[in-house]
Amino acid sequence: MSTRKTSLPGFDSQQRPTDRLLFAVLPEKPAVARIEQLTRALCREHDLRGAAVHAEQLHITLVILGEYWGVPPDLLAAATSAASQISQSAFKVRFDYVQTFRNKSRTTGNYPVVLCGDEGLIGLETLHQDLTGRLRNLGFKGISASLTPHVTMLYEPEPVPSHAVAAVEWTVHEFVLLRRHINQYLPYSILGQWPLQKVS
């Protein structure tokens, strides 16, 4: 199954896609508050004026399925089938430094300033690999084999130097399928949720 953007009946083939579909992990509420606190401190420290990511849009991308006009039912069914096969246990994540990605946002034209980690993100990498393999087995193509787990905090016209920060930690108990409304500052729609196994 291709993850390229598709045309639906009634839509011009040249019309821009309206939706991006992706699997992701959402931070728990205390982690969201901590990330917002870090973002404010970062802005004060470096005199930043860029656009901060809204609390309801904070997430960690696992797999991007592509951009579409609406939500193709066959793709949604296949993605749901792949997700339901995951049997990973819940795991902890730890983000402890800030860096700037060099690929500018297509929406803002600015650099993403992101929260990253090292050994504390192994569980995310494992989940990505498992989910990617199951999607490919169901015919998905164009799925990226690589992953740099991160949380985008804000977008800046100039890069922010990499540096350590007080760690943000939480336990991941589930992952979700999100629908992002392209070029609209709206909360993501959750199309599906899959719990991870409880740690005994």
Side-chain angles (χ1 to χ4, degrees):
M1 178 180 295
S2 173
T3 60
R4 296 170 65 87
K5 53 191 179 183
T6 60
S7 178
L8 298 179
F11 287 82
D12 187 287
S13 61
Q14 299 302 314
Q15 187 173 344
R16 298 183 66 180
T18 57
D19 300 275
R20 173 179 293 174
L21 304 182
L22 63 149
F23 282 106
V25 165
L26 303 179
E28 296 182 338
K29 287 185 178 179
V32 169
R34 177 64 183 136
I35 293 168
E36 289 186 304
Q37 181 185 38
L38 278 175
T39 301
R40 290 192 294 269
L42 193 66
C43 289
R44 289 194 300 269
E45 181 180 353
H46 296 278
D47 193 27
L48 304 180
R49 296 289 185 269
V53 176
H54 294 169
E56 62 270 19
Q57 294 181 323
L58 293 171
H59 69 281
I60 307 163
T61 298
L62 292 172
V63 179
I64 296 175
L65 298 180
E67 296 181 351
Y68 306 90
W69 294 277
V71 180
D74 58 339
L75 182 140
L76 179 59
T80 298
S81 176
S84 65
Q85 298 173 33
I86 300 297
S87 59
Q88 185 173 338
S89 297
F91 56 87
K92 291 184 179 181
V93 292
R94 176 185 172 91
F95 293 87
D96 53 15
Y97 69 91
V98 168
Q99 71 176 86
T100 303
F101 283 169
R102 297 294 173 169
N103 52 318
K104 291 185 177 181
S105 165
R106 290 184 298 169
T107 302
T108 67
N110 291 336
Y111 295 100
V113 180
V114 303
L115 191 59
C116 293
D118 290 315
E119 290 83 1
L121 304 180
I122 293 175
L124 289 169
E125 295 168 355
T126 300
L127 180 55
H128 161 78
Q129 292 170 0
D130 193 0
L131 188 54
T132 295
R134 296 183 187 280
L135 288 166
R136 286 176 175 165
N137 288 341
L138 288 174
F140 281 82
K141 299 178 181 178
I143 299 287
S144 176
S146 62
L147 176 72
T148 302
H150 65 277
V151 179
T152 301
M153 305 166 70
L154 71 162
Y155 294 91
E156 276 296 312
E158 298 296 333
V160 175
S162 298
H163 64 278
V165 295
V168 179
E169 300 176 280
W170 75 91
T171 299
V172 176
H173 295 286
E174 67 174 13
F175 65 100
V176 299
L177 178 60
L178 297 180
R179 176 185 187 181
R180 177 184 178 183
H181 307 278
I182 298 174
N183 294 328
Q184 299 182 57
Y185 295 97
L186 298 172
Y188 293 165
S189 299
I190 298 178
L191 302 181
Q193 297 173 266
W194 293 270
L196 300 175
Q197 295 183 0
K198 294 182 179 180
V199 179
S200 56

